[in-house]
């Protein structure tokens, strides 16, 4: 097994190679505006660090969000392209699950929350680092304060809103290394991973204007 994992659902552009047992190379850079510019060079660096060619990869793992449209589509389209070119499967993993998997906050339930902008967070509750107990959602922190009260929290969204998440912990952003490790573990157990389709959770900002004026000649 050689998994190439990548995620662009958060401001972090992150890539990793996993051989089924361990991460053998990884790279990450935080820049919310340059996903498309940074992703492929990161893939090249990771392959070079591992001394491998892209055609050695046996599977692709990609974070499916939740996240903003622009960022998510970069990672998902790249993953689909690699999968088609190499003839290998493409596996989706919830980005929040990757953050939960990397969390080191002891036993017991906790929350993962990432920054959804517009003063909102993408979030979900977890029984432990491998078990999500609610579907991913997008909400204003104040609106979920009762649901997350008393629980430790992980992620940039938790760090941004200490009034709602007073027990906030790192990691701030997801790592492809965590996504790859979680995917390798689940694949080895015979589990089926989600399809590589985006979790947007919001309607797109761009919409066809209503009652627009026709300007073409009759």
């Amino acid at each position: 097994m050689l998994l190439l994992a990548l995620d662009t659902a958060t401001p972090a552009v992150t890539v990793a190679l996993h051989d089924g047992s361990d991460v053998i190379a990884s790279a990450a850079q935080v820049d919310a505006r340059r996903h498309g510019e940074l992703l492929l060079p990161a893939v090249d660096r990771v392959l070079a660090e591992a001394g491998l060619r892209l055609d050695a990869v046996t599977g692709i793992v990609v974070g499916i969000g939740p996240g903003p449209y622009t960022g998510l589509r970069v990672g998902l389209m790249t993953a689909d392209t690699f999968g088609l070119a190499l003839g290998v499967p493409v596996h989706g993993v919830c980005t929040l699950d990757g953050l939960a998997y990397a969390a080191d906050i002891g036993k017991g339930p906790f929350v993962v929350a990432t920054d959804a902008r517009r003063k909102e967070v993408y979030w979900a509750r977890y029984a432990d680092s491998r078990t999500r107990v609610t579907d991913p959602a997008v909400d204003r922190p104040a609106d979920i304060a009762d649901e997350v009260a008393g629980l430790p929290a992980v992620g940039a969204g938790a760090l941004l809103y200490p009034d709602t998440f007073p027990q906030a912990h790192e990691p701030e952003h997801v790592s492809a290394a965590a996504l790859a490790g979680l995917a390798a573990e689940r694949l080895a157990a015979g589990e089926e991973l989600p399809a590589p389709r985006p979790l947007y959770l919001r309607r797109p900002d761009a919409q066809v204007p209503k009652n627009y004026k026709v300007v073409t000649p009759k």
Side-chain angles (χ1 to χ4, degrees):
M1 178 187 291
L2 183 64
L3 299 175
L4 173 65
L6 50 96
D7 191 290
T8 57
T10 75
V13 179
T14 178
V15 179
L17 281 171
H18 196 289
D19 66 3
S21 299
D22 294 294
V23 174
I24 58 176
S26 64
Q29 186 170 346
V30 178
D31 192 328
R33 297 181 180 275
R34 298 172 64 208
H35 290 98
E37 181 180 344
L38 297 174
L39 182 57
L40 290 180
V43 172
D44 287 341
R45 289 197 305 274
V46 166
L47 289 168
E49 180 183 340
L52 295 169
R53 292 164 50 93
L54 183 60
D55 58 10
V57 169
T58 62
I60 310 294
V61 176
V62 62
I64 60 174
Y69 175 76
T70 302
L72 266 180
R73 66 178 179 175
V74 171
L76 286 162
M77 290 302 297
T78 302
D80 279 343
T81 300
F82 282 157
L84 286 171
L86 298 172
V88 299
V90 181
H91 308 287
V93 176
C94 175
T95 299
L96 301 180
D97 291 356
L99 269 163
Y101 185 76
D104 184 18
I105 56 175
K107 297 181 179 180
F110 64 96
V111 177
V112 173
T114 60
D115 181 17
R117 305 173 190 174
R118 305 182 193 172
K119 299 182 180 181
E120 294 180 328
V121 293
Y122 297 117
W123 69 284
R125 287 183 57 168
Y126 290 78
D128 53 54
S129 62
R130 292 167 174 78
T131 311
R132 176 160 40 88
V133 295
T134 65
D135 290 332
V138 58
D139 289 289
R140 289 183 176 272
D143 293 342
I144 60 171
D146 291 343
E147 295 181 67
V148 304
L151 296 177
V154 172
L159 294 166
L160 274 174
Y161 300 101
D163 289 345
T164 299
F165 306 101
Q167 301 180 61
H169 300 264
E170 293 187 341
E172 183 175 2
H173 302 301
V174 71
S175 72
L179 286 178
L182 179 58
E185 187 176 291
R186 289 177 171 173
L187 289 170
E191 296 182 33
E192 185 175 349
L193 297 180
R197 297 294 176 263
L199 286 170
Y200 290 132
L201 302 188
R202 279 186 181 144
R203 293 183 180 275
D205 290 332
Q207 297 182 14
V208 176
K210 296 180 180 179
N211 301 321
Y212 60 89
K213 183 178 180 180
V214 177
V215 295
T216 54
K218 295 182 179 179

